Amino acid sequence: MKKQLWLTSLSSDRSIPSAVSAKLGPYGFDVAGSLWNDDVERMGWQDSRDMLINPALAGWLVVAPPEELAKPSVRYGLSLLALSVAARRPGLPLFLISCGAAAKSADLPTPLAGAHLLTIDEPALCAKIVAKTSVPAPPRRLDYRIDIAGDQQVGQWFEIGPAQGAWKGVIFGTCGGEISFQAVGPASTLPKNTVLNYPMQGIQLMLGKRECLAWGVQNEVPDGTSYYAKVKGMPEALVFGSFPEGDEPELFTVRLV
């Protein structure tokens, strides 16, 4: 039985994904896919999520001309899709195949930084994909969990919580974008009702030289519970973690652009 791959093409040139599929066919892969929907406002990145979380899928290929991967809206949409997929298929191999010079991990948003970086014309392209899909790497171990909730109707929501144990309150900030609502409730589903303990808004945080605005609550967030923040726009980065007990908070940063 052939292994299934999903190919996301950032190029409008349909010959590029066809060429990649033709290369991989003789190596025992069945490649399906789609062109990228660069529509952040309508959450176009969600179009491929159901295909990517299919348990039968062996890997995700992103074919990326450098000029397309450089677009902030493309990087942001890919970041959200990668976060959402990782929450449901941790360890699914991601291959970022450049149509020019190979991308550099340090230049990529946090959710894409663990991708296998390849170029479309390198001789070992297929062999490397075979090797990485034969023995998938274990999922990255993080001290937090993060997911994307909501849709075009209810808006864009970020869901966060501790990977283990409990947070004694939550602080959540964005660099860019705008937080418009916060809630605490059961994990994996937007709560219909929420009771917030000592909610706060307009907390100023610094990420390097960039100012971020944060909201916070003092609700405890244990396993099975999540903090949710509705965010308008396209934040460049998220800053979040357990609400600090002292003056210097220890927060996590996720770069999205």
Side-chain angles (χ1 to χ4, degrees), residues 215-233:
W215 288 24
V217 296
Q218 293 191 16
N219 299 59
E220 184 177 33
V221 179
D223 292 341
T225 300
S226 292
Y227 169 91
Y228 298 85
K230 184 176 183 179
V231 178
K232 298 178 181 178

Side-chain angles (χ1 to χ4, degrees), residues 166-189:
W167 287 349
K168 296 181 179 179
V170 177
I171 186 170
F172 176 91
T174 64
C175 297
E178 179 186 357
I179 305 171
S180 61
F181 200 83
Q182 61 183 348
V184 175
S188 303
T189 180

Side-chain angles (χ1 to χ4, degrees), residues 85-173:
V85 171
R88 295 159 178 78
R89 284 290 315 275
L92 178 71
L94 167 59
F95 302 90
L96 186 55
I97 305 172
S98 175
C99 298
K104 297 180 180 179
S105 181
D107 296 335
L108 294 173
T110 306
L112 306 180
H116 304 292
L117 305 179
L118 308 171
T119 60
I120 197 167
D121 56 354
E122 65 178 88
L125 172 69
C126 297
K128 289 180 179 179
I129 293 175
V130 169
K132 297 299 183 181
T133 55
S134 297
V135 184
R140 296 172 60 195
R141 292 189 176 184
L142 302 173
D143 293 327
Y144 60 87
R145 49 185 168 81
I146 182 169
D147 196 2
I148 317 299
D151 52 33
Q152 185 178 342
Q153 283 69 43
V154 302
Q156 171 183 256
W157 293 75
F158 290 93
E159 176 188 355
I160 62 169
Q164 295 180 344
W167 287 349
K168 296 181 179 179
V170 177
I171 186 170
F172 176 91

Side-chain angles (χ1 to χ4, degrees), residues 15-256:
S15 68
I16 295 177
S18 296
V20 174
S21 298
K23 286 184 179 181
L24 289 167
Y27 287 81
F29 290 108
D30 182 10
V31 184
S34 66
L35 300 180
W36 179 249
N37 183 2
D38 185 20
D39 190 343
V40 171
E41 183 177 354
R42 293 181 173 82
M43 301 177 74
W45 59 268
Q46 290 186 332
D47 291 355
S48 301
R49 182 169 61 183
D50 287 347
M51 291 75 169
L52 287 167
I53 62 176
N54 181 348
L57 197 70
W60 176 21
L61 315 178
V62 177
V63 178
E67 65 274 13
E68 292 298 318
L69 188 61
K71 293 179 179 179
S73 60
V74 171
R75 293 164 71 89
Y76 183 77
L78 281 174
S79 291
L80 296 196
L81 180 56
L83 286 176
S84 185
V85 171
R88 295 159 178 78
R89 284 290 315 275
L92 178 71
L94 167 59
F95 302 90
L96 186 55
I97 305 172
S98 175
C99 298
K104 297 180 180 179
S105 181
D107 296 335
L108 294 173
T110 306
L112 306 180
H116 304 292
L117 305 179
L118 308 171
T119 60
I120 197 167
D121 56 354
E122 65 178 88
L125 172 69
C126 297
K128 289 180 179 179
I129 293 175
V130 169
K132 297 299 183 181
T133 55
S134 297
V135 184
R140 296 172 60 195
R141 292 189 176 184
L142 302 173
D143 293 327
Y144 60 87
R145 49 185 168 81
I146 182 169
D147 196 2
I148 317 299
D151 52 33
Q152 185 178 342
Q153 283 69 43
V154 302
Q156 171 183 256
W157 293 75
F158 290 93
E159 176 188 355
I160 62 169
Q164 295 180 344
W167 287 349
K168 296 181 179 179
V170 177
I171 186 170
F172 176 91
T174 64
C175 297
E178 179 186 357
I179 305 171
S180 61
F181 200 83
Q182 61 183 348
V184 175
S188 303
T189 180
L190 283 173
K192 295 181 179 179
N193 299 291
T194 188
V195 177
L196 301 179
N197 298 335
Y198 303 103
M200 289 156 279
Q201 301 179 15
I203 305 168
Q204 292 185 340
L205 301 172
M206 295 301 297
L207 182 61
K209 296 182 179 180
R210 182 71 190 273
E211 182 180 279
C212 304
L213 291 178
W215 288 24
V217 296
Q218 293 191 16
N219 299 59
E220 184 177 33
V221 179
D223 292 341
T225 300
S226 292
Y227 169 91
Y228 298 85
K230 184 176 183 179
V231 178
K232 298 178 181 178
M234 195 173 69
E236 296 176 16
L238 308 177
V239 183
F240 58 88
S242 180
F243 200 90
E245 297 181 3
D247 294 332
E248 294 295 329
E250 295 184 5
L251 302 176
F252 306 107
T253 300
V254 174
R255 181 179 156 209
L256 299 175

